[in-house]
Amino acid sequence: MKILVTGGAGFIGGNFVHYMVNKYPEDQIVNLDLLTYAGNLETLKPVEHKPNYKFVKGDIADRDFIMDLFEKEQFDAVVNFAAESHVDRSIENPSIFVQTNVEGTVVLLDAAKKYNVRYHQVSTDEVYGDLPLDQPDLFFTEETPLHTSSPYSSSKASADLFVLSYFRTFGLPVTISRCSNNYGPYHFPEKLIPLMISRALADEELPVYGKGENVRDWLHVEDHCQAIDLILRKGRIGEVYNVGGHNERTNLEVVKTILKALDKPESLIKYVTDRPGHDMRYAIDPTKLETELGWKPTYNFDTGIAQTIQWYLDNEDWWKNILSGEYANYFEDMYGERL
Ligand code: NAD
Ligand code: DAU
């Protein structure tokens, strides 16, 4: 297969590119990324010289560019990771989330329709809104109504509805995966886990929103990549699959786990003003993915966070280059082009 992976210079897309290029040497992986602040070609260093990998810089919302690319490359499948992904940024500037996450998805859907390409949308459990803390038996299923809280989750839910409409109206072969919070290598240090690791290592204060009671259901990125691969190859067309591994933790538990592993004091924790509209709890019921496709996560939170912390210790250059802005020079160095 020739597979277009969009957003492959970001956290999950980058891990997916590694996974696919190594697992399927007979497949061609084309990574399309705009290289926004979140895109980092250093993440692709381990695969950039593989014969079955190619990078293309471009915007999923640029219709002419996308149509030309689909005409030229004749893809068999597209997996769309490209997005603005950070909730706090969506509160500051919602419009770019509409542009990339909604308009970009519609452009890709139109291209997939025109060139008859299998389409997979990488979505999020945030489209279901949140669950209360005092009802631990409640979980998000694929039937849970969409009920979004932030401009980010609203843009992702909107994109999902377009994807499903292209199945119903045009018969486009689509699937959607909705996963819980990912963590693991190459996670951009604006998100909770890498932010706390990098700040704790520098003995800086760790900003915990509100009381730190909010619960997230942590999924190791490798387990997510495996789930997407399964859905792409064996998922039922027109279906949504939830991805999560029953690893709920409060934010405070996560931060304290990181501090303990790094032998840093809890006095680094600083409680700061809460995120507006902050979702209380996310928790995925992954029964459909497990029973239909046989998916099982390989990490639990204890093994996954230990591996992740070790990765950040072993790869200081990767995240320190981001914090210093240095990584933006990498594209220029590699391709002789100014970002
Ligand atoms: P990320 O922010 O790390 O990466 C996003 C990538 O998309 C970046 O490389 C960026 O340069 C690229 N991009 C942004 N706008 C683009 C555009 N217009 N055209 C082409 N490329 C563009 O995000 P992530 O955390 O890897 O998330 C990937 C996908 O998974 C997103 O769709 C997100 O909504 C979804 N998701 C993420 C999580 C999570 O925990 N990180 C959980 C559930 C779902
Ligand atoms: O559930 C899936 C979603 O997970 C994805 O769709 C999003 O793209 C991804 O960013 C993530 O969203 P969250 O808002 O849950 O992730 P974030 O890492 O920003 O925050 C995790 C929790 O930690 C959340 O309750 C807010 C809190 N937090 C976050 C930061 C950055 C803090 O307390 N302090 C912080 O500095």
Side-chain angles (χ1 to χ4, degrees), residues 85 124-126 152 181 192 195 207 209 216 251 275 278:
S85 68
T124 169
D125 59 0
E126 294 199 21
Y152 163 72
N181 286 61
L192 181 75
L195 182 83
Y209 298 168
R216 296 293 182 264
N251 293 338
R275 171 185 281 173
H278 198 172

Side-chain angles (χ1 to χ4, degrees), residues 6-13 32-40 58-61 80-86 100 122-125 152 156 179-183 187-188 190-191 224:
T6 69
F11 164 45
I12 309 175
L32 165 69
D33 198 294
L34 185 57
L35 298 179
T36 67
Y37 80 93
N40 183 353
D59 185 347
I60 59 164
N80 181 27
F81 293 90
E84 288 293 332
S85 68
H86 194 38
T100 291
V122 180
S123 185
T124 169
D125 59 0
Y152 163 72
K156 293 294 290 186
C179 70
S180 54
N181 286 61
N182 281 216
Y183 68 105
H187 202 180
F188 195 84
E190 68 181 352
K191 306 281 168 55
H224 186 197

Side-chain angles (χ1 to χ4, degrees), residues 63 67 78 102-121 158-176 237-239:
R63 183 169 288 273
M67 289 297 173
V78 51
V102 185
E103 178 65 19
T105 296
V106 172
V107 168
L108 287 174
L109 287 167
D110 282 339
K113 174 159 92 67
K114 181 168 179 190
Y115 293 96
N116 199 20
V117 180
R118 167 82 170 85
Y119 186 94
H120 180 76
Q121 176 78 355
S158 177
D160 282 10
L161 293 174
F162 275 102
V163 174
L164 293 172
S165 77
Y166 273 60
F167 169 66
R168 167 91 187 237
T169 304
F170 305 114
L172 187 70
V174 307
T175 42
I176 296 177
I237 296 303
E239 292 291 316

